[in-house]
Amino acid sequence: MKIIFLGAPGAGKGTQAEKIAELLSIPTISTGAIIRSAIKNGTEMGKAAIAYTESGKLVPDEVVIGIIKERLSEDDCKNGFILDGFPRTVPQAEALDNLGVAIDKVVDIDVDDSVIVERMSGRRLCEKCGASYHLKYIPSKDNKTCDKCGGNLIMRPDDKEEVVLDRLKVYHAQTEPLKDFYSKKGILRSVDGRGDIAAITASIIEVLRS
């Protein structure tokens, strides 16, 4: 199966993509990871991307699409794949169509903005050992220090509420229109992204069979 995962930042796309990829024995293709890999391996598109990443600029569509094309041509994608983080915009989705990539299902993991803000702004990381916590869902004993090593718990800049709200604004403006794009093709399936991880995985498997 060729699958795309959609959903706002913090909706749980990466977690679910990994689980479904394992169940279906197909690779998960995360845009960020393959751009880094293309740069590291010195591919033609990787060399094109490095000029942008080194100057802190966004890698343009034509380069991202070239890197995706390189990755999809590899042997492990012959039986299918999951795209996580691509396409981000309707023009990128149209470019994917133009490559002749026929997507079977698009899974939208639907989570309210308020839940995402709570999820992300509550995340904490031990600055010493890197252990992950959450003020509500995985608290440490005092929510200030790590239970494992006693290091201070810190908030990553990306998890600050104002940053999360900015990222959600970009998602709604640029990526959410993809729902309509794929709905018109009849391949969009939506699942509730709240609650237990295993239950969400089960819901995704159900909609993939529909």
Side-chain angles (χ1 to χ4, degrees):
M1 282 193 94
K2 295 169 184 173
I3 306 162
I4 290 171
F5 272 56
L6 292 180
K13 294 188 299 298
T15 301
Q16 292 300 333
E18 276 179 27
K19 293 192 172 296
I20 299 298
E22 197 177 324
L23 287 166
L24 299 180
S25 300
I26 55 176
T28 297
I29 298 169
S30 155
T31 317
I34 64 164
I35 288 173
R36 287 191 294 274
S37 173
I39 289 170
K40 187 182 170 188
N41 295 331
T43 70
E44 190 184 329
M45 286 296 168
K47 287 171 187 167
I50 200 164
Y52 295 95
T53 56
E54 283 184 345
S55 59
K57 292 176 184 170
L58 280 177
V59 180
D61 275 5
E62 61 269 22
V63 178
V64 175
I65 289 153
I67 288 172
I68 293 278
K69 188 179 180 181
E70 281 179 345
R71 181 66 185 87
L72 296 185
S73 68
E74 291 179 22
D75 281 350
D76 64 339
C77 290
K78 281 181 179 170
N79 295 321
F81 50 79
I82 294 171
L83 285 174
D84 170 20
F86 183 90
R88 285 185 190 274
T89 62
V90 170
Q92 285 184 352
E94 289 168 344
L96 196 61
D97 280 354
N98 293 336
L99 288 178
V101 178
I103 299 297
D104 298 306
K105 290 283 189 327
V106 177
V107 179
D108 174 49
I109 301 176
D110 187 35
V111 184
D112 289 344
D113 284 6
S114 58
V115 175
I116 283 171
V117 171
E118 181 188 60
R119 270 186 194 175
M120 295 180 81
S121 62
R123 295 197 293 206
R124 296 293 183 272
L125 204 64
C126 173
E127 62 179 354
K128 233 165 131 182
C129 74
S132 296
Y133 293 91
H134 192 283
L135 298 181
K136 182 177 177 182
Y137 304 113
I138 320 165
S140 73
K141 284 171 186 166
D142 62 2
N143 265 337
K144 291 176 186 171
T145 53
C146 176
D147 291 344
K148 294 172 185 172
C149 73
N152 288 326
L153 298 186
I154 57 166
M155 184 186 216
R156 295 185 314 175
D158 274 4
D159 289 336
K160 288 182 177 171
E161 187 169 334
E162 61 272 23
V163 177
V164 175
L165 289 169
D166 276 347
R167 290 176 70 196
L168 285 168
K169 203 180 287 181
V170 170
Y171 167 77
H172 291 307
Q174 294 182 4
T175 308
E176 203 163 34
L178 285 169
K179 292 203 278 190
D180 190 45
F181 180 84
Y182 286 116
S183 180
K184 284 175 180 168
K185 290 176 176 285
I187 57 173
L188 181 74
R189 302 290 183 272
S190 192
V191 298
D192 188 343
R194 295 169 300 174
D196 179 67
I197 289 172
I200 298 164
T201 306
S203 297
I204 292 170
I205 291 164
E206 200 176 314
V207 299
L208 289 176
R209 288 175 178 155
S210 65

